[in-house]
Structure formats: C-alpha cells, structure tokens
Amino acid sequence: MKAVHATAAALVALLVATGCSSAPEPKTDSPARPTPVSTPDASSTPGTLSGATDAAWLQLMTPMNEGAVELLTMAADRTTDPGLRSWANDLADAHRAELGRMRPLLKELGLPDTNVHEGHEMPGMVTPGDLAQARAAKGAAFEKVFVTQIREHLEHSARVSRSEVDAGSEAAAKKLAAALVEARRGELDGLKRVAA
C-alpha cells in the first residue's frame, strides 16, 4: 500500500510540476467526457510497464513533442535565417526520433495514443493557439514567436523528464527520459547560438 501511495504522490507531483490543472473543460452542448490520466492495474497487465509516473510522463511528453514538431516544421519553411532553419530541421528530426521511442512505450503500457492533455494550458506544450499565433506572424516577428515558444518547450520538457528520471520506476522510460534531458541541454545551447 505504501508503494501505491508513493507512486500516486509522484504522479501528482509530476503533473503539478508541469502546470496541468484539473480545471473543468469548457461547457459544450454534448455531455462532458473526462480525460483522466490512464494508469493500468499492474496486476492485470503482467510483463508491461506499470509505473503511474512513467505513464504520466509518456502521456505528457508525446503531445509535447508532437506540437513542437508542428512548430519546428513551420519554422523550417518560414524562417529566413539559414542557421535557424537548419537548427529547426535538425530538432524536428530529433523530436520525431524521440516520438519513435515514446509511442512503443505507450503501447507497451496499454495507454491510448490520444492526447489526454488536449485543451489543457501547460507550460512547454505547443497548443493550437500557439501555432495560430506563429502562423499569423511574419519575418522577424515570426522568428521571435518561434524562438520564445520552442525555448519554453525545451526547458519544460527537460524539467518534466528530470522528474521522470527521479520518480519513475520503469527502466525503459527512465532511460529515455535521461537521454531526453541530455538532448535538451545541447538543444538549448544550440538555440542560444542561432538565436543570438
């Protein structure tokens, strides 16, 4: 029972650290559908990942990377700065590779491949609103919006991944999180160089 409480506490800490609130969704004409973080019962899925913190991290990092890839793809097409364009292309490729490692872990954990954080305002998550803001900007204004949004994404995804390294329980997820923390360090250094 202590282990269950410790795992639940770690999960709550991870979600609070990322700014995920449990605020109600906007009212619509259709009945509300809750989108809780799914955490399978370890006893019912032997041989799979079972940590709630690992599940929360994967369910957060996957949409964080997906949104970032959209923004990076836009930057690669729209920026006039060759150094920033090359950096955005490389980072988009790196994020796609990370997604290629995250999605199998989601499947192994028995988690849905849908975004359970859709509609949540969370630090580091590139939202449809952020993408609309970037699309509306041009030239130097676009580059400023892009750099601000992608820096926030890189900083917060590193922070969330450090939480997984510290509080996660599954070796595969922790290894991927540690690799992501290290990658973010280099990516942020690269952003400083191209955005100076």
Side-chain angles (χ1 to χ4, degrees):
M1 192 61 142
K2 274 187 180 177
V4 171
H5 287 295
T7 301
L11 173 62
V12 169
L14 179 64
L15 291 176
V16 168
T18 62
C20 183
S21 70
S22 58
E25 297 292 324
K27 291 187 179 184
T28 63
D29 293 336
S30 60
R33 292 186 317 212
T35 54
V37 173
S38 302
T39 52
D41 178 358
S43 64
S44 67
T45 54
T48 66
L49 297 174
S50 58
T53 300
D54 309 293
W57 176 72
L58 285 165
Q59 288 185 303
L60 178 60
M61 281 307 310
T62 302
M64 282 181 82
N65 267 24
E66 289 168 345
V69 166
E70 286 189 60
L71 182 62
L72 289 160
T73 301
M74 188 187 310
D77 291 338
R78 298 186 60 188
T79 185
T80 57
D81 180 323
L84 191 57
R85 181 184 307 115
S86 176
W87 179 85
N89 270 322
D90 291 346
L91 188 57
D93 289 343
H95 273 51
R96 287 184 193 102
E98 289 172 2
L99 284 166
R101 294 176 68 191
M102 288 174 200
R103 288 179 178 134
L105 287 176
L106 278 171
K107 186 174 181 181
E108 188 176 336
L109 191 56
L111 296 168
D113 61 0
T114 56
N115 180 0
V116 298
H117 295 289
E118 190 168 354
H120 299 176
E121 290 294 323
M122 303 174 70
M125 183 81 74
V126 178
T127 65
D130 293 332
L131 293 169
Q133 180 187 12
R135 278 188 206 99
K138 295 187 182 347
F142 167 79
E143 290 171 2
K144 182 176 180 182
V145 168
F146 165 71
V147 167
T148 300
Q149 290 179 353
I150 205 66
R151 180 182 292 121
E152 183 178 323
H153 162 73
L154 293 172
E155 290 170 349
H156 286 280
S157 61
R159 187 173 298 136
V160 169
S161 295
R162 276 191 297 272
S163 295
E164 164 62 16
V165 171
D166 293 342
S169 61
E170 298 296 336
K174 287 174 67 115
K175 182 178 178 181
L176 178 54
L180 195 144
V181 169
E182 186 61 32
R184 294 296 181 267
R185 188 175 296 119
E187 291 157 359
L188 283 162
D189 287 346
L191 180 59
K192 283 178 194 169
R193 287 192 297 274
V194 297

